[in-house]
Amino acid sequence: QTVVTQEPSLSVSPGGTVTFTCGLSSDSVSTRHYPSWYQQTPGQAPRTLVYSTNTRSSGVPDRFSGSIFGNKAALTIRGAQADDESVYYCVLYMGSGIRVFGGGTRLTVL
Amino acid sequence: EVQLVESGGALVQPGGSLRLSCAASGFTFSTYGLNWVRQAPGKGLEWLTYISGGSSTIFYADSVKGRFTISRNNADKSLSLQMNSLRDEDTAVYYCASEYNYGSGFNYWGQGTQVTVSS
């Protein structure tokens, strides 16, 4: 069974930089997994931030960026703001056609 | 304006069936793949199933394979999810989400519909 791993929680100071990672339990993440990233606040539908590793969705500010970092996908927020406090999810496309979400990372801005 | 509006959520007994719908507007429906994603109370997001624009390609997560069936009607711009043999663990908010190309991620999301499986 495919397991996509994310940090359970991260914290960042206002104005600071934070990086989330998205890994696979039994493989390296690469661009062939087309990693994408989503932000969700309580009671709301997810919002798409980045897809295909590093393409920002329409309207997403450039302080959000995606990349491959080592053997994982990464989402970096620069200049963190209070309203960035959310849960962040990654999704990986597996060769079999299934999509798999990571468990999500709760970001605290303090 | 792009809109995806889910409906059909309800309280249903274990072993029962339910059909969810998702009505789309504001984009060229037939050129987009569509997905169902759910979120159990207090839990993370779980991808369930995908259908291509022409319905020729369909994928399911193991957790729902054989119980759930995805379908779409391009003339009506609607997506459906037929859910059979429902279990307590199927209790969740169910979202539909569009996908322009393979690898393009879920670009548009609905607001979700609540399904509760309980006796």
Side-chain angles (χ1 to χ4, degrees):
Chain A
Q1 181 173 343
T2 301
V3 176
V4 177
T5 60
Q6 294 187 248
E7 299 85 359
S9 63
L10 290 170
S11 62
V12 64
S13 300
T17 297
V18 61
T19 296
F20 306 79
T21 67
C22 177
L24 278 170
S25 55
S26 56
D27 197 0
S28 296
V29 177
S30 71
T31 56
R32 67 182 172 88
H33 293 102
Y34 300 96
S36 53
W37 293 90
Y38 305 86
Q39 177 191 46
Q40 189 182 36
T41 53
Q44 298 297 312
R47 171 196 181 198
T48 305
L49 297 174
V50 168
Y51 61 93
S52 295
T53 304
N54 56 12
T55 303
R56 272 185 299 277
S57 188
S58 177
V60 174
D62 60 7
R63 58 193 188 83
F64 291 87
S65 62
S67 64
I68 298 291
F69 186 74
N71 63 348
K72 296 182 179 182
L75 173 73
T76 298
I77 305 176
R78 294 182 171 79
Q81 302 175 358
D83 61 3
D84 293 335
E85 197 161 278
S86 303
V87 180
Y88 292 81
Y89 295 93
C90 67
V91 168
L92 300 179
Y93 284 66
M94 307 311 295
S96 55
I98 68 168
R99 290 87 163 126
V100 183
F101 277 91
T105 299
R106 182 173 302 276
L107 178 67
T108 302
V109 181
L110 46 70
Chain B
E1 180 193 5
V2 171
Q3 278 199 314
L4 292 169
V5 180
E6 301 92 339
S7 61
L11 171 64
V12 61
Q13 291 190 338
S17 298
L18 198 62
R19 188 176 184 89
L20 305 183
S21 296
C22 174
S25 61
F27 64 100
T28 310
F29 184 78
S30 61
T31 65
Y32 281 69
L34 294 164
N35 299 267
W36 285 99
V37 173
R38 71 183 177 186
Q39 187 167 35
K43 302 296 185 183
L45 298 166
E46 180 188 12
W47 174 83
L48 299 179
T49 179
Y50 164 86
I51 186 169
S52 62
S55 303
S56 59
T57 301
I58 291 175
F59 300 114
Y60 294 99
D62 286 345
S63 59
V64 302
K65 195 178 297 183
R67 299 189 301 126
F68 290 10
T69 302
I70 191 172
S71 61
R72 64 188 293 162
N73 183 321
N74 287 345
D76 291 343
K77 297 185 179 181
S78 65
L79 172 71
S80 295
L81 184 67
Q82 177 66 42
M83 304 187 295
N84 298 330
S85 304
L86 284 162
R87 307 165 180 167
D88 291 350
E89 56 265 35
D90 295 318
T91 294
V93 174
Y94 285 72
Y95 296 99
C96 61
S98 64
E99 182 177 322
Y100 183 62
N101 277 326
Y102 183 82
S104 68
F106 310 133
N107 50 352
Y108 301 127
W109 294 76
Q111 285 302 304
T113 187
Q114 176 70 48
V115 173
T116 302
V117 184
S118 175
S119 53

